[in-house]
């Protein structure tokens, strides 16, 4: 079994993690070249108020009580590092899937942490402690866990053999972010994992090739691949004891 940890609205959460005063507020994150700054992420409260992806910063400023922040690569890197540290505290086999997503191999962890539901709850608690609000999903294969974490809120444990049924209601943008492919699905009248999974595999192969066949398999929750374990890069440091303290770096050159 595998657990996926997904951080919704990751650019927003990375900033809120450093600015706790923003908790509970409408937050929009903008990026681009001034003055053409546009919204690239926002939290649920901001979206509910009418803020949209791609909206110009000048327009967002007209929304009452909306907090606007520039995207911060440094804060996103720090949040991602915290996410990896959190996952690695449970298992040495962790896949660094994306900036907002990691996968943990749960083999053997039941002896240490209890049932899969108990493991999911502990992962959730630990992720919250590092300042991130996650979705946690457990499934029999990494991709089913990833899609469940990205598609369902909170904690979800999918019993082995029920992946197709449990994922069937998810919208297809969880499966692929390719706009051309999503437009093709829309023209076909196919909008969910279940509707896509019900199509004949042979027809999918004819129209979408092997890439489509792979997605068709994932829509059925039938993916079966090993994870690619994350390995922290080695850092070499040297320490020197000095007789006297120094106030500038120049003397060391």
């Amino acid at each position: 079994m595998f657990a996926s940890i997904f951080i919704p609205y990751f650019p927003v959460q990375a900033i809120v993690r450093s600015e706790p005063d923003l908790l509970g507020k409408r937050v929009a994150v903008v990026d681009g070249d001034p003055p053409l700054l546009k919204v690239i992420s926002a939290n649920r409260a901001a979206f509910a108020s009418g803020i949209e992806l791609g909206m110009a910063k000048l327009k967002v400023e007209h929304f009452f009580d909306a907090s606007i922040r520039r995207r911060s690569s440094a804060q996103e890197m720090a949040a991602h590092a915290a996410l990896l540290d959190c996952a690695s505290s449970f298992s040495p086999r962790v896949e660094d899937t994306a900036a907002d997503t990691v996968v943990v191999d749960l083999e053997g962890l039941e002896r240490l942490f209890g049932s899969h539901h108990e493991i999911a709850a502990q992962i959730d608690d630990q992720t919250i402690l590092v300042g991130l609000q996650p979705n946690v999903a457990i499934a029999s294969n990494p991709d089913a866990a990833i899609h469940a974490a990205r598609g369902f809120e909170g904690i979800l444990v999918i019993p082995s053999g029920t992946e197709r049924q449990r994922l069937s209601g998810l919208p297809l943008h969880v499966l692929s972010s390719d706009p051309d492919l999503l437009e093709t699905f829309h023209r076909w009248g196919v909008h969910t994992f279940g509707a896509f999974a019900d199509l004949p595999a042979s027809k999918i192969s004819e129209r979408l090739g092997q890439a489509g066949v792979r997605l068709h398999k994932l829509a059925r929750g039938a993916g079966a691949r090993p994870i690619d374990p994350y390995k922290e890069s080695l850092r070499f440091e040297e320490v020197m004891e000095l007789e006297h303290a120094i106030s500038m770096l120049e003397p060391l050159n």
Side-chain angles (χ1 to χ4, degrees), residues 199-210:
L199 297 177
S202 60
K203 299 298 183 182
I204 296 299
S205 179
E206 290 175 8
R207 290 166 172 77
L208 301 178
Q210 288 306 304

Side-chain angles (χ1 to χ4, degrees), residues 56-88:
K57 176 179 179 289
L58 291 175
K59 189 172 182 179
V60 178
E61 290 173 349
H62 293 292
F63 282 78
F64 174 72
D65 201 25
S67 298
I68 304 172
R69 295 291 187 274
R70 284 291 299 270
R71 185 174 193 175
S72 171
S73 296
Q75 289 173 331
E76 289 182 22
M77 289 176 63
H80 182 65
L83 178 60
L84 283 171
D85 286 344
C86 173
S88 298

Side-chain angles (χ1 to χ4, degrees), residues 126-142:
Q126 190 65 31
T127 310
I128 291 173
L129 285 177
V130 301
L132 299 168
Q133 303 292 323
N135 294 339
V136 180
I138 292 179
S140 62
N141 66 77

Side-chain angles (χ1 to χ4, degrees):
M1 299 291 278
F2 299 86
S4 179
I5 313 172
F6 170 66
I7 309 302
Y9 320 116
F10 180 73
V12 175
Q13 289 214 44
I15 290 171
V16 173
R17 179 172 177 266
S18 299
E19 298 185 54
D21 290 345
L22 293 176
L23 279 170
K25 296 183 179 180
R26 299 183 180 92
V27 181
V29 178
V30 298
D31 199 12
D33 297 321
L36 302 179
L37 295 171
K38 294 184 178 181
V39 175
I40 57 95
S41 184
N43 60 7
R44 184 189 303 279
F47 284 129
S49 70
I51 293 173
E52 300 175 352
L53 294 178
M55 182 177 287
K57 176 179 179 289
L58 291 175
K59 189 172 182 179
V60 178
E61 290 173 349
H62 293 292
F63 282 78
F64 174 72
D65 201 25
S67 298
I68 304 172
R69 295 291 187 274
R70 284 291 299 270
R71 185 174 193 175
S72 171
S73 296
Q75 289 173 331
E76 289 182 22
M77 289 176 63
H80 182 65
L83 178 60
L84 283 171
D85 286 344
C86 173
S88 298
S89 69
F90 289 90
S91 170
R93 288 180 50 79
V94 175
E95 179 179 87
D96 186 0
T97 308
D100 57 9
T101 309
V102 298
V103 176
V104 183
D105 187 344
L106 300 184
E107 183 177 0
L109 296 191
E110 288 177 280
R111 294 191 297 272
L112 296 173
F113 300 106
S115 69
H116 290 139
H117 286 88
E118 290 172 322
I119 292 172
Q122 291 177 65
I123 290 175
D124 183 70
D125 289 342
Q126 190 65 31
T127 310
I128 291 173
L129 285 177
V130 301
L132 299 168
Q133 303 292 323
N135 294 339
V136 180
I138 292 179
S140 62
N141 66 77
D143 292 306
I146 290 169
H147 293 139
R150 291 176 174 174
F152 296 102
E153 294 183 7
I155 295 174
L156 177 66
V157 177
I158 302 178
S160 182
T162 68
E163 294 85 2
R164 179 170 180 170
Q165 177 185 0
R166 197 67 183 87
L167 298 177
S168 63
L170 291 180
L172 284 173
H173 67 76
V174 175
L175 182 67
S176 174
S177 59
D178 184 336
D180 294 332
L181 187 59
L182 293 175
E183 176 60 26
T184 298
F185 290 148
H186 181 73
R187 291 199 306 269
W188 291 355
V190 174
H191 305 290
T192 65
F193 275 49
F196 183 43
D198 287 340
L199 297 177
S202 60
K203 299 298 183 182
I204 296 299
S205 179
E206 290 175 8
R207 290 166 172 77
L208 301 178
Q210 288 306 304
V213 171
R214 175 182 173 275
L215 289 176
H216 188 247
K217 185 176 183 180
L218 296 181
R220 304 197 309 272
R225 65 170 178 87
I227 65 170
D228 182 14
Y230 155 78
K231 295 180 181 179
E232 185 176 6
S233 58
L234 293 176
R235 293 184 298 177
F236 297 94
E237 298 179 356
E238 186 173 350
V239 177
M240 178 185 297
E241 291 288 343
L242 301 175
E243 293 183 9
H244 304 285
I246 62 171
S247 58
M248 297 183 296
L249 294 177
E250 284 77 3
L252 297 179
N253 292 334

